[in-house]
Amino acid sequence: MGDLTNSAVEFCPKSQRGSGVASAGVEPNHGAAFGVTLEELRELMELRGTDAIQKIQDNYANTEGLCRNLRTSPTEGLSDNPVDLEKRREVFGQNFIPPKQPKTFLQLVWEALQDVTLIILEIAAIISLGLSFYQRPGEESEGCGEGSGGAEDEGEAEAGWIEGAAILLSVICVVLVTAFNDWSKEKQFRGLQSRIEQEQRFTVVRNGSVIQIPVAEIVVGDVAQIKYGDLLPADGILIQGNDLQIDESSLTGESDHVRKSANKDPMLLSGTHVMEGSGRMLVSAVGVNSQTGIIFTLLGAGEGEEEKKEKKGKQQDGSVENSQNKAKKQDGAVAMEMQPLKSAEGGEVEEKEKKKTNVPKKEKSVLQGKLTKLAVQIGKAGLVMSAITVIILVLYFVIETFVIEGRVWMAECTPVYVQYFVKFFIIGVTVLVVAVPEGLPLAVTISLAYSVKKMMKDNNLVRHLDACETMGNATAICSDKTGTLTTNRMTVVQTYLGDQHFREVPDSGQINPKILEVLISAIAVNSAYTSKIMPPEKEGGLPKQVGNKTECSLLGFVLDLGRDYTPVREQIPEEKLYKVYTFNSVRKSMSTVLQLPDRSFRLYSKGASEILLKKCSSILAAGGEPRGFRPRDREEMVKKVIEPMACDGLRTICIAYRDLPASPEPDWDNEAEIVTDLICITVVGIEDPVRPEVPDAIRKCQRAGITVRMVTGDNINTARAIAVKCGIIQPGDDFLCLEGKDFNRRIRNEKGDIEQERIDKIWPKLRVLARSSPTDKHTLVKGIIDSTVLEQRQVVAVTGDGTNDGPALKKADVGFAMGIAGTDVAKEASDIILTDDNFSSIVKAVMWGRNVYDSISKFLQFQLTVNVVAVIVAFTGACITQDSPLKAVQMLWVNLIMDTFASLALATEPPTEALLLRKPYGRNNPLISLTMMKNILGHAIYQLIIIFTLLFVGEKIFDIDSGRNAPLHSPPSEHYTIIFNTFVLMQLFNEINARKIHGERNVFDGIFANPIFCSIVLGTLVVQVAIVQFGGKPFSCAPLSLEHWLWCLFVAVGELLWGQVIATVPTSHLKCLKEAGHGPGIDVMTDDEMAEDEEEIDHAERELRRGQILWFRGLNRIQTQMEVVSTFKRSGSFQGAVRRRSSLLSQIHDVTNISTPTHVSLSTTNASGAPGNAGGESLP
């Protein structure tokens, strides 16, 4: 099991241990302070069932004996003595599994350097550097063609190295920025992770009082209280349990629930889920010594703890996300296997599903899919452009030098020529660098990370990044009622007691004392002892409800009647309860059995009124005596008492009891025989008021095109009343409110199988699903997601708090778990945790999600304009003037502004309420809408006209020397500096235009609400001034006069005016425009893809690899060109050149062909992107 971490613990022979003697020469045995060692506990925890009980009996007589050895009390727990707790941590370890080491900054730098484009640039820059230091003999160089000497004087020749060095420097900048971004992203994530972990608390008994402590502070010897829905944080031994069932699938893979009891199988393991019942356990192993910890250690998570001895290659296995602490240990399988779905679908969890859920949730979100596809398409286009640029430059130079001027390639001139080729190559690569939008992933990351950080303030704790963006596309929300739409502060407001319906809580004097006694015992005993009413925290505040809120309302009812429930509980402590049938979603009731002094039994039961009343055969009359309760009486009661209560929006709960004889002792496992023939004591109406902010939040959702549905376990009248109060249903609307039974009848065929067509008839109108089981919720969510009725596939968000909501939360596109009321299992299955359990926080999540989408679109609009312009300028400039007007270093600077800074500026725009005024975009909607396409092309045309005017007649306008056809290494010209400066300034003003993507007029709206944006624009401007005025040779810039600066600014501000002109042109008139960046096509899952899933290579990454292969093919082409050039060297004849030129052109043709077929196939997949998706799951 790996070396023991605490080497300080020496193991002594058993005889010695008892006496606590430390043998001479051995370190004093810390274990001696406790009568048991770490090793013995680890051995004990590996046993199960009867073996474990046998071992406990052999070594410690019983569990109490083990408690004594661990110096703890089964009822009082540990004392809160810090010295004792610290010692326990020292001897038995802490309850903490150390995460994997994060990547260091240098590792991230190394990863950033792996970028193919950057590698090529580095190589080109190094060659350029090397060649610039090559000193060629002065005299013969005259014969090497124009530009070899030319305008160069000595100083300029010296400066030949600058370009290479500058490229290297800018590459370093880009790498550092990328690495820093990755590093801060990682850091943010760890922060988020630790926050999730710190929020996880567990109930333990210390000094006899029940307290909640962070999971990391649990120590061996603690007595922990466990209940339905808990995720066990440590290994332990059950001291006392009621009807306890555990789901151990996360450790054993067995999906059947395991019954645990103190006398049959008391061993509880960390990372397993409590599916039913409650109890108390003695913590026996924590952290790396618990069963889960041991597994983690084997996976190499606890490397640091393992004394680094296991370095033989365990690290490679570390790909398990160990940073995710124990709370995240179970893979998706748990959630699916949690509740074997009890429907005729045969468990719903087909093999395929199971296989899929085992892969950790690493799905590419819709947005990421669209983006990667777009990036690949743009990259391919850029590759073709850059290849053509290089080829044309090389050809032009070769033909000009060797054919037209008829020079001969001389050996001593080779370095000069190679220098030219390197220069051309660098130009080609810079075209590519500008064309490939590396900033896209960066923009997405920044936008998501920024949103996630801000969403924390809006009470949304995001567990899966992509959930944030999926939420922006949500079209349906299936919400719980209790606690989400309502305040979850329940109070009894009406009661039916002793044949009388009280519209408000009566005085104790109005009730027969006999009835009162039975009622108080029934409530005090038959509710979890963890539920209690505490005094208010503030003076004059409401009493604090701790534990289950429904039970708290009943306990509050006892207090309102002027009595107290604590004496009853002290008289009958939890250990004395004979048998407990805990509440679960199937029973919808809870029952507790007591043994009375005369050895006979009494059963108390409480539960949903219509379910429990069916089991009642009598009812307590006004005199306190039971009288017969026939089905006819029950119907009358439902009509006169329960329905009026429900129509007031109250939950109705029935409380009943029954006496059972001592002999023959009843068969407690036969629940149906036990919980029947009951005597009804009372029916109470519990009010759970609607949260004041909910109706407004629901109105916002409906305006934003999102349908809100309520799925609740409550009675249909209560549910309908609350739905009306919330505004989910409006009088006069055409809607459905169904009960679970009715829903199931309508969606199943004669054989009892669920049919999608039947669901499709129901869900569009369904607004309330009452008395629903978790399976119904899962069925509904799956039905809506799989539906093809509407042209857009529905994106469904679901809220849940119970353990049984796991499958629905997992199935939904976005699962929201309740941070306060939610069980650990629900949180585990969710994507976002609502830290305040409030529905209005979901609306905030929608707003942030839409904002992410818009931020990316803004960035795209900006980035693509720059791309189009820069590529065309570099390409045409290179072809016409044999030199790109924008130099490599300038291009890299433009790339830096475009990519890194623009993504920061545009991705951090705060959301506005206006985002909720439009309908969701939908999954298949293109990323680049027609309006955006219009903006991109419109601005590109303006910029190209300006730049080409400057390029070809700029020297005349400004009366300066032309920068065209300058020889190699000539000093920077003012002409080209003006072009570069105008280009950058136009981008800066266009960045302001890019803030609006739906054709709004006011681009400055809310600009000061985003300080990051303002500071980046100003910062870039300052740096630009510095580059132009003092950049000199490395940036190929000549300082400009004030007049030139003003002209540059004048033209750049024209961007804003031009933006207004573009906004005036109606998009509908531009039929020729095409959208781009459609969503991934129909999601169909093949077995091969499943296999690939396991390796976690997703489609988009494969596409990118394909892009890299294309790259290398392109490079091979360039090598071929090099070879062609060397053949020129051997034969100077004209015909040979022409013949080779034709073969060369066919090769160029090949290059374009390499790219086009894949390009075409890509767009055809887009075209077939039919609405809806067959699998119903969005694909990784």
Side-chain angles (χ1 to χ4, degrees):
M1 283 296 165
D3 306 283
L4 284 171
T5 48
N6 301 67
S7 47
V9 183
E10 303 284 350
F11 303 116
C12 312
K14 231 181 232 167
S15 56
Q16 219 177 300
R17 196 196 67 224
S19 56
V21 181
S23 56
V26 181
E27 262 189 75
N29 173 12
H30 293 301
F34 307 103
V36 58
T37 63
L38 175 64
E39 179 71 346
E40 287 173 7
L41 284 175
R42 273 177 75 146
E43 279 175 18
L44 175 62
M45 290 317 293
E46 278 167 28
L47 302 172
R48 302 279 177 275
T50 44
D51 301 345
I53 290 177
Q54 192 58 46
K55 176 100 172 173
I56 293 173
Q57 283 170 354
D58 292 352
N59 290 6
Y60 319 102
N62 54 16
T63 316
E64 278 73 29
L66 179 57
C67 289
R68 277 195 298 282
N69 278 342
L70 280 171
R71 312 271 181 277
T72 180
S73 145
T75 50
E76 300 290 305
L78 293 176
S79 64
D80 238 341
N81 174 4
V83 182
D84 175 47
L85 295 178
E86 195 42 56
K87 183 150 199 193
R88 286 173 191 274
R89 283 193 194 101
E90 218 171 278
V91 177
F92 299 112
Q94 305 186 355
N95 194 21
F96 167 70
I97 294 179
K100 223 174 87 182
Q101 283 301 310
K103 286 185 176 151
T104 59
F105 187 67
L106 287 174
Q107 282 171 307
L108 292 169
V109 167
W110 178 241
E111 279 180 13
L113 276 169
Q114 309 296 313
D115 184 16
V116 186
T117 340
L118 289 180
I119 294 175
I120 291 171
L121 265 182
E122 287 154 30
I123 295 169
I126 291 166
I127 296 174
S128 168
L129 262 180
L131 288 171
S132 67
F133 291 125
Y134 173 81
Q135 278 292 314
R136 43 181 201 286
E139 296 74 51
E140 307 100 287
S141 67
E142 293 304 320
C144 295
E146 47 93 23
S148 51
E152 287 191 34
D153 55 29
E154 278 307 292
E156 289 305 335
E158 303 290 286
W161 60 274
I162 291 181
E163 186 169 30
I167 293 178
L168 280 181
L169 201 72
S170 42
V171 165
I172 290 168
C173 275
V174 171
V175 166
L176 287 176
V177 169
T178 316
F180 178 74
N181 272 313
D182 286 348
W183 179 77
S184 54
K185 179 176 81 180
E186 174 108 355
K187 192 157 152 270
Q188 269 183 344
F189 253 76
R190 295 206 166 242
L192 187 70
Q193 204 58 48
S194 60
R195 158 129 190 216
I196 291 178
E197 280 152 21
Q198 281 155 12
E199 291 205 338
Q200 207 194 353
R201 304 174 82 81
F202 210 76
T203 315
V204 296
V205 181
R206 286 196 182 164
N207 282 337
S209 57
V210 179
I211 57 168
Q212 284 214 331
I213 59 170
V215 164
E217 288 177 22
I218 293 176
V219 293
V220 170
D222 257 324
V223 173
Q225 287 202 341
I226 57 176
K227 61 183 188 308
Y228 161 75
D230 281 346
L231 177 78
L232 299 185
D235 289 357
I237 295 164
L238 189 64
I239 301 174
Q240 172 264 326
N242 308 318
D243 196 19
L244 195 63
Q245 291 192 26
I246 306 279
D247 172 11
E248 294 188 347
S249 60
S250 55
L251 283 181
T252 61
E254 290 296 321
S255 53
D256 295 344
H257 299 170
V258 185
R259 278 191 180 277
K260 298 282 179 182
S261 61
N263 48 14
K264 290 202 184 93
D265 180 5
M267 310 312 267
L268 303 171
L269 307 174
S270 60
T272 58
H273 293 111
V274 182
M275 299 311 289
E276 217 169 279
S278 60
R280 282 207 319 276
M281 75 168 185
L282 167 71
V283 176
S284 60
V286 292
V288 281
N289 300 309
S290 66
Q291 289 302 302
T292 310
I294 290 168
I295 293 174
F296 261 67
T297 307
L298 287 177
L299 287 172
E303 284 258 309
E305 295 273 318
E306 286 294 276
E307 305 288 319
K308 306 277 183 218
K309 283 180 191 164
E310 293 206 71
K311 283 229 161 165
K312 300 180 202 106
K314 288 281 158 69
Q315 293 124 298
Q316 277 77 22
D317 306 1
S319 58
V320 178
E321 299 193 8
N322 333 359
S323 56
Q324 315 227 354
N325 180 307
K326 305 189 307 299
K328 310 254 166 314
K329 279 184 299 283
Q330 314 63 258
D331 49 17
V334 182
M336 272 311 203
E337 290 168 359
M338 228 154 30
Q339 186 85 12
L341 294 166
K342 303 176 188 60
S343 71
E345 292 172 277
E348 210 344 84
V349 198
E350 305 123 27
E351 276 311 292
K352 205 180 208 179
E353 280 272 89
K354 246 185 211 162
K355 202 157 134 200
K356 239 191 105 184
T357 36
N358 279 327
V359 183
K361 184 163 182 141
K362 182 182 179 289
E363 291 192 350
K364 269 265 190 248
S365 67
V366 182
L367 179 66
Q368 278 169 312
K370 290 180 183 179
L371 277 177
T372 315
K373 209 156 167 188
L374 195 68
V376 170
Q377 288 175 354
I378 296 172
K380 285 178 180 168
L383 184 65
V384 175
M385 291 291 275
S386 67
I388 296 177
T389 310
V390 173
I391 292 166
I392 290 182
L393 283 171
V394 170
L395 272 178
Y396 199 100
F397 172 75
V398 167
I399 292 172
E400 170 122 356
T401 310
F402 298 118
V403 181
I404 299 170
E405 298 181 9
R407 294 177 189 279
V408 182
W409 185 303
M410 292 183 287
E412 61 273 21
C413 293
T414 307
V416 183
Y417 296 144
V418 174
Q419 214 162 343
Y420 268 108
F421 292 141
V422 170
K423 176 184 165 188
F424 299 151
F425 186 65
I426 288 177
I427 292 171
V429 173
T430 29
V431 170
L432 186 88
V433 171
V434 178
V436 175
E438 309 89 297
L440 271 184
L442 188 65
V444 181
T445 311
I446 292 176
S447 183
L448 286 174
Y450 171 77
S451 305
V452 165
K453 207 168 173 180
K454 294 285 188 196
M455 280 168 82
M456 294 288 263
K457 295 197 177 99
D458 284 340
N459 303 311
N460 282 297
L461 195 145
V462 181
R463 288 188 56 226
H464 298 126
L465 254 193
D466 53 2
C468 161
E469 157 256 316
T470 313
M471 211 40 224
N473 280 326
T475 54
I477 298 175
C478 295
S479 172
D480 274 1
K481 174 178 78 71
T482 311
T484 313
L485 300 172
T486 58
T487 55
N488 204 11
R489 189 187 165 81
M490 307 210 186
T491 38
V492 172
V493 288
Q494 296 190 21
T495 173
Y496 182 85
L497 249 182
D499 287 344
Q500 222 178 331
H501 186 168
F502 295 96
R503 296 281 171 179
E504 49 207 42
V505 178
D507 292 335
S508 51
Q510 295 172 275
I511 303 166
N512 184 309
K514 270 195 214 161
I515 299 182
L516 197 59
E517 284 315 309
V518 178
L519 176 66
I520 287 163
S521 310
I523 292 176
V525 173
N526 186 30
S527 51
Y529 280 36
T530 48
S531 303
K532 43 186 178 291
I533 307 274
M534 311 285 275
E537 284 171 349
K538 298 194 191 87
E539 277 295 308
L542 292 165
K544 192 172 161 205
Q545 297 185 339
V546 178
N548 180 307
K549 300 293 190 260
T550 311
E551 292 181 341
C552 288
S553 70
L554 294 172
L555 296 172
F557 178 48
V558 172
L559 300 176
D560 291 344
L561 288 170
R563 303 297 287 272
D564 191 2
Y565 60 88
T566 35
V568 184
R569 286 187 171 183
E570 280 161 10
Q571 192 185 340
I572 309 170
E574 211 170 350
E575 299 79 66
K576 288 200 181 165
L577 302 181
Y578 195 83
K579 169 83 184 160
V580 179
Y581 299 98
T582 50
F583 179 88
N584 66 27
S585 55
V586 180
R587 285 194 186 111
K588 292 208 187 295
S589 68
M590 170 180 177
S591 310
T592 305
V593 181
L594 297 180
Q595 191 160 24
L596 303 175
D598 63 358
R599 316 291 303 150
S600 71
F601 300 99
R602 172 166 284 184
L603 168 123
Y604 290 117
S605 197
K606 68 166 188 287
S609 53
E610 54 264 56
I611 290 172
L612 214 58
L613 282 176
K614 285 181 185 156
K615 299 179 180 175
C616 290
S617 57
S618 339
I619 184 166
L620 290 182
E625 298 306 321
R627 64 171 171 77
F629 185 65
R630 298 182 305 282
R632 202 174 61 241
D633 301 331
R634 187 172 71 234
E635 281 159 26
E636 192 176 339
M637 175 116 158
V638 167
K639 273 203 192 77
K640 296 211 168 139
V641 179
I642 293 174
E643 281 183 2
M645 282 186 186
C647 292
D648 291 343
L650 306 183
R651 293 179 73 169
T652 54
I653 289 206
C654 170
I655 300 173
Y657 78 103
R658 171 187 188 186
D659 287 318
L660 294 150
S663 66
E665 187 172 330
D667 171 12
W668 299 114
D669 288 338
N670 187 348
E671 196 183 329
E673 286 299 310
I674 305 282
V675 186
T676 182
D677 211 11
L678 304 174
I679 304 166
C680 171
I681 307 171
T682 179
V683 171
V684 293
I686 298 177
E687 181 181 50
D688 183 9
V690 171
R691 286 177 182 264
E693 63 276 24
V694 163
D696 187 42
I698 286 181
R699 261 199 308 282
K700 281 182 186 162
C701 279
Q702 288 163 341
R703 206 170 47 229
I706 301 169
T707 311
V708 182
R709 294 182 174 81
M710 181 202 287
V711 181
T712 174
D714 257 345
N715 150 337
I716 189 153
N717 295 329
T718 310
R720 193 184 284 122
I722 299 278
V724 170
K725 282 183 190 167
C726 292
I728 290 177
I729 51 184
Q730 267 106 19
D733 277 2
D734 181 19
F735 56 80
L736 279 175
C737 294
L738 292 180
E739 281 200 345
K741 282 202 306 277
D742 200 18
F743 173 69
N744 269 306
R745 207 187 58 244
R746 290 193 185 196
I747 61 171
R748 292 175 193 276
N749 59 18
E750 298 68 50
K751 292 183 196 152
D753 297 335
I754 292 176
E755 285 187 358
Q756 185 64 43
E757 299 80 75
R758 290 170 181 252
I759 299 185
D760 287 346
K761 285 185 190 140
I762 294 176
W763 74 258
K765 288 185 181 176
L766 183 70
R767 291 293 176 274
V768 175
L769 185 58
R771 282 277 178 255
S772 67
S773 71
T775 319
D776 296 339
K777 192 172 188 174
H778 181 267
T779 309
L780 176 66
V781 171
K782 185 174 186 301
I784 297 179
I785 289 179
D786 291 351
S787 171
T788 50
V789 186
L790 306 179
E791 77 231 50
Q792 288 283 8
R793 129 120 152 83
Q794 295 283 298
V795 177
V796 185
V798 168
T799 67
D801 51 8
T803 304
N804 42 34
D805 290 332
L809 287 171
K810 262 268 178 279
K811 179 72 198 171
D813 294 291
V814 182
F816 285 91
M818 302 297 141
I820 303 167
T823 59
D824 295 343
V825 181
K827 289 179 188 170
E828 195 47 45
S830 69
D831 300 293
I832 297 180
I833 296 174
L834 293 179
T835 50
D836 62 346
D837 287 16
N838 192 336
F839 185 84
S840 60
S841 301
I842 298 180
V843 182
K844 296 246 177 62
V846 172
M847 215 157 82
W848 275 107
R850 292 186 171 191
N851 191 53
V852 167
Y853 210 92
D854 279 10
S855 297
I856 306 293
S857 298
K858 288 171 190 174
F859 174 69
L860 264 175
Q861 177 174 311
F862 173 69
Q863 164 108 32
L864 292 178
T865 312
V866 186
N867 278 15
V868 170
V869 176
V871 170
I872 294 179
V873 167
F875 177 70
T876 43
C879 297
I880 299 172
T881 66
Q882 290 89 68
D883 186 7
S884 167
L886 299 171
K887 299 292 182 287
V889 182
Q890 296 173 351
M891 288 275 208
L892 283 168
W893 162 238
V894 169
N895 214 20
L896 201 70
I897 337 176
M898 292 192 324
D899 286 358
T900 314
F901 298 143
S903 58
L904 254 174
L906 291 167
T908 51
E909 290 269 307
T912 58
E913 288 280 333
L915 289 168
L916 293 175
L917 298 176
R918 61 168 176 78
K919 299 279 179 272
Y921 281 137
R923 292 176 74 92
N924 310 340
N925 223 47
L927 262 179
I928 300 173
S929 63
L930 289 176
T931 311
M932 285 168 62
M933 211 48 151
K934 179 183 75 175
N935 291 344
I936 291 171
L937 295 176
H939 287 293
I941 291 168
Y942 174 81
Q943 294 185 11
L944 285 171
I945 292 173
I946 298 287
I947 287 180
F948 284 136
T949 309
L950 288 176
L951 180 57
F952 296 113
V953 290
E955 70 274 26
K956 299 193 182 85
I957 300 173
F958 292 114
D959 190 25
I960 44 178
D961 295 335
S962 166
R964 293 196 300 281
N965 300 328
L968 202 56
H969 301 314
S970 53
S973 64
E974 277 185 74
H975 182 193
Y976 274 17
T977 308
I978 289 177
I979 294 177
F980 165 59
N981 197 22
T982 310
F983 180 69
V984 171
L985 292 177
M986 284 197 294
Q987 302 323 324
L988 276 182
F989 283 99
N990 194 28
E991 196 164 340
I992 298 172
N993 277 329
R995 292 184 65 247
K996 300 290 175 223
I997 48 174
H998 298 300
E1000 297 92 331
R1001 289 256 171 212
N1002 182 3
V1003 288
F1004 291 100
D1005 180 32
I1007 193 165
F1008 296 113
N1010 186 359
I1012 302 180
F1013 184 87
C1014 301
S1015 49
I1016 282 180
V1017 172
L1018 288 172
T1020 314
L1021 188 62
V1022 171
V1023 178
Q1024 177 63 16
V1025 173
I1027 286 178
V1028 170
Q1029 296 305 89
F1030 312 110
K1033 183 77 186 174
F1035 279 99
S1036 317
C1037 284
L1040 297 179
S1041 65
L1042 185 62
E1043 186 194 354
H1044 289 163
W1045 266 102
L1046 289 173
W1047 274 112
C1048 292
L1049 270 170
F1050 169 70
V1051 174
V1053 173
E1055 265 289 339
L1056 294 173
L1057 304 173
W1058 183 247
Q1060 296 300 316
V1061 175
I1062 294 176
T1064 317
V1065 179
T1067 316
S1068 50
H1069 289 193
L1070 302 170
K1071 296 274 185 288
C1072 53
L1073 290 185
K1074 283 274 190 295
E1075 302 149 328
H1078 287 260
I1082 301 176
D1083 308 341
V1084 186
M1085 197 81 186
T1086 62
D1087 292 345
D1088 308 345
E1089 273 184 307
M1090 283 304 322
E1092 263 160 14
D1093 250 14
E1094 311 291 327
E1095 295 154 30
E1096 299 212 337
I1097 296 179
D1098 51 25
H1099 172 70
E1101 277 161 20
R1102 283 206 304 280
E1103 276 287 18
L1104 279 178
R1105 288 204 192 142
R1106 204 145 84 202
Q1108 285 174 3
I1109 294 166
L1110 279 173
W1111 241 112
F1112 291 122
R1113 282 193 199 154
L1115 287 184
N1116 290 345
R1117 290 278 170 241
I1118 293 166
Q1119 279 170 346
T1120 324
Q1121 262 87 69
M1122 292 296 190
E1123 283 158 23
V1124 173
V1125 172
S1126 61
T1127 45
F1128 267 118
K1129 180 176 159 188
R1130 288 193 287 279
S1131 81
S1133 79
F1134 185 73
Q1135 281 81 11
V1138 174
R1139 265 199 306 275
R1140 286 186 196 93
R1141 183 174 182 191
S1142 58
S1143 69
L1144 198 76
L1145 286 173
S1146 68
Q1147 281 173 343
I1148 296 174
H1149 188 64
D1150 283 357
V1151 175
T1152 38
N1153 277 359
I1154 291 170
S1155 281
T1156 34
T1158 38
H1159 201 84
V1160 173
S1161 64
L1162 258 160
S1163 27
T1164 49
T1165 52
N1166 285 353
S1168 64
N1173 68 351
E1177 281 287 350
S1178 75
L1179 291 191

